[in-house]
Amino acid sequence: MKISLVSEHASPLAVLGGVDAGGQNVHVAALATALAADGHEVTVYTRREDPRVPERTAFAAGVQVVQVDAGPAQVVSKDRLLPHMGEFADQLAAAWTADRPDVVHGHFWMSGLAMLDAARRVDLALGGHLPVTQTFHALGVVKRRHQGLQDTSPAERSWLEPDVARRVDTVIATCSDEAFELKAFGVPSSRIAVVPCGVDTEHFRPDGPAAPRGDRMRILAVSRLVQRKGVGIAIEALAELVRHGVDAELVVVGGAGDAEHLEADPEVERLRRVIAEQGVTDRVTLLGRIEHEDLPQWYRSADVVVCAPWYEPFGIVPLEAMACGVPVVASSVGGLIDTVVEDVTGLHVPPRDPQAVAEAVGLLLAEPERRRRYGRAGRRRATGRYSWHRIAAETARVYQQLQTGSTVSARRTRER
């Protein structure tokens, strides 16, 4: 198949760890690469953020990344990109009219807007029907529920995003919790396919070098530094453990820059206040951004990985930890409910509950055999359910079903 992926703000070429760069970048890059490895021809369309980057870049064998000129050729927060989606759609329509793909897959709601607009124009120009599917990666209704006034999404998202969900041929949800939310939008179950994110089980594996560490038990958090990711919760949990005599440390991987340039990250100042208030200055290390190839050694150095977000549409970090054979303590939210199996690969805790995190981590730190058992089970689950080869095959099956026309006819009816 000739496949077009649309990811307006999350380019596979982007540096991971910035405020608007993270799991979606990894997902799009890995999905494109795995689809191409199965013999498909993949083009990823993303908004140009740097005038020096060529229009087309060979990202991997069979994968091209195309820079779309829409708005200024500079980094713009994704929450400010909506006014440029019309121009983005213009460029997509021109590209697809000249070289029509077999299927288009949008990533994030604004990509969906541009994709639907462009697909409609391609249908008018060439006839027939260009099949489209959509992965949201996060839903605005969930974001508002948990962030309230801190949600910086444009107001238009509240009605445009559900409209995208209802208009595309199929929505590919990344977890069962998201599928439930989509049904509330009025999307019928017959047009929802649940295909999770994946993990590179060759890169993230238990064997290999581990980052240096001392005698203290090591808790690891890997996250973009935004408040809803729950790093502050992990710091408070560490302080609770220390007060109860546990000799532990917390290493935090993530941020907009390396350890020497973390001041550029607005969340760092707040986290440092929490660290000082909790009296754990000598036990918390903010490492900043770590290169992707170096991440496995940090997972391997940890006794427990804590993933304590307020909400999480999917969450790749638990998969990376599990693939490295490390047990996970995770909030019972979003995709983490699906990926982390209670008392098998880790433990679930309520969101925003440092005491619960401390109790779960303390239990695992005190029982090395349980940690080993969870680690082995996590590795088996990561390789058996979440390898990118399997995720790409499941995604391709959704594409093939779109090409049969069984869901396309429903979309045609809606657009008439």
Side-chain angles (χ1 to χ4, degrees):
M1 279 184 287
K2 185 185 296 182
I3 301 164
S4 289
L5 305 183
V6 183
S7 182
E8 97 295 345
H9 76 274
S11 168
L13 307 178
V15 176
L16 302 181
V19 173
D20 282 338
Q24 185 175 327
N25 303 73
V26 173
H27 181 110
V28 172
L31 178 61
T33 302
L35 287 167
D38 286 340
H40 303 291
E41 180 184 336
V42 183
T43 305
V44 182
Y45 294 88
T46 191
R47 198 189 72 86
R48 179 184 293 281
E49 294 184 335
D50 186 340
R52 298 167 297 179
V53 177
E55 180 183 0
R56 280 184 174 268
T57 303
F59 179 74
V63 180
Q64 293 281 322
V65 177
V66 174
Q67 305 291 317
V68 177
D69 292 310
Q74 63 189 49
V75 175
V76 177
S77 167
K78 65 178 180 286
D79 291 329
R80 297 179 179 272
L81 289 178
L82 182 59
H84 306 301
M85 287 303 99
E87 189 178 358
F88 198 94
D90 293 342
Q91 301 299 317
L92 292 178
W96 295 340
T97 301
D99 185 13
R100 182 176 181 147
D102 296 312
V103 66
V104 179
H105 185 173
H107 293 265
F108 201 62
W109 69 278
M110 281 185 282
S111 292
L113 281 176
M115 170 186 70
L116 283 166
D117 185 0
R120 178 184 58 81
R121 289 190 247 174
V122 172
D123 291 350
L124 290 172
L126 302 181
H129 178 88
L130 177 56
V132 296
T133 187
Q134 171 74 19
T135 295
F136 285 100
H137 293 275
L139 291 173
V141 65
V142 179
K143 188 177 181 182
R144 284 193 304 278
R145 187 181 305 148
H146 291 277
Q147 291 193 246
L149 295 177
Q150 293 180 329
D151 179 13
T152 56
S153 300
E156 295 92 334
R157 184 176 185 176
S158 63
W159 64 85
L160 290 175
E161 186 171 64
D163 184 60
V164 169
R166 290 188 290 264
R167 289 170 58 206
V168 295
D169 298 318
T170 299
V171 180
I172 299 179
T174 56
C175 65
S176 53
D177 186 65
E178 184 184 354
F180 177 82
E181 298 284 351
L182 289 166
K183 291 174 187 175
F185 283 175
V187 182
S189 299
S190 61
R191 292 199 296 105
I192 301 172
V194 178
V195 180
C197 298
V199 64
D200 184 342
T201 56
E202 289 301 310
H203 184 58
F204 294 96
R205 53 188 305 124
D207 55 299
R213 55 174 286 178
D215 295 331
R216 286 174 173 166
M217 304 293 283
R218 175 169 287 178
I219 305 163
L220 181 71
V222 180
S223 173
R224 287 188 293 127
L225 298 186
V226 292
Q227 188 172 3
R228 68 142 176 120
K229 289 290 189 176
V231 174
I233 300 294
I235 294 168
E236 293 179 41
L238 170 70
E240 180 69 14
L241 288 167
V242 171
R243 285 192 287 270
H244 284 80
V246 178
D247 189 18
E249 65 176 357
L250 173 66
V251 175
V252 179
V253 173
D258 58 25
E260 296 181 358
H261 300 90
L262 277 176
E263 286 72 17
D265 202 313
E267 174 69 354
V268 169
E269 183 179 352
R270 190 191 72 84
L271 291 177
R272 286 183 171 154
R273 285 200 305 270
V274 174
I275 291 167
E277 290 166 0
Q278 295 293 324
V280 288
T281 303
D282 63 333
R283 292 176 179 268
V284 179
T285 302
L286 300 179
L287 276 184
R289 182 173 58 82
I290 298 296
E291 296 299 327
H292 186 68
E293 59 264 28
D294 296 328
L295 272 176
Q297 64 180 298
W298 287 98
Y299 283 113
R300 296 183 197 118
S301 77
D303 296 295
V304 179
V305 169
V306 169
C307 189
W310 302 354
Y311 73 96
E312 186 60 71
F314 182 77
I316 289 177
V317 168
L319 291 186
E320 294 175 345
M322 288 159 54
C324 289
V326 184
V328 180
V329 171
S331 300
S332 294
V333 296
L336 307 189
I337 299 171
D338 291 353
T339 54
V340 179
V341 181
E342 174 68 15
D343 199 28
V344 175
T345 69
L347 297 172
H348 284 134
V349 294
R352 305 200 202 196
D353 191 338
Q355 181 67 39
V357 174
E359 291 175 1
V361 171
L363 178 64
L364 290 178
L365 294 182
E367 298 187 23
E369 179 50 40
R370 181 184 286 211
R371 295 201 305 274
R372 287 190 286 269
R373 186 172 73 249
Y374 285 5
R376 290 191 296 268
R379 175 64 185 177
R380 288 194 300 270
R381 182 162 173 77
T383 56
R385 177 67 190 97
Y386 296 104
S387 72
W388 276 111
H389 174 72
R390 176 169 176 173
I391 301 308
E394 293 183 12
T395 304
R397 280 196 291 273
V398 175
Y399 297 163
Q400 289 159 358
Q401 289 166 2
L402 287 178
Q403 290 187 296
T404 67
S406 57
T407 54
V408 169
S409 60
R411 177 173 158 231
R412 280 176 173 164
T413 300
R414 290 194 302 277
E415 290 187 343
R416 283 174 181 166

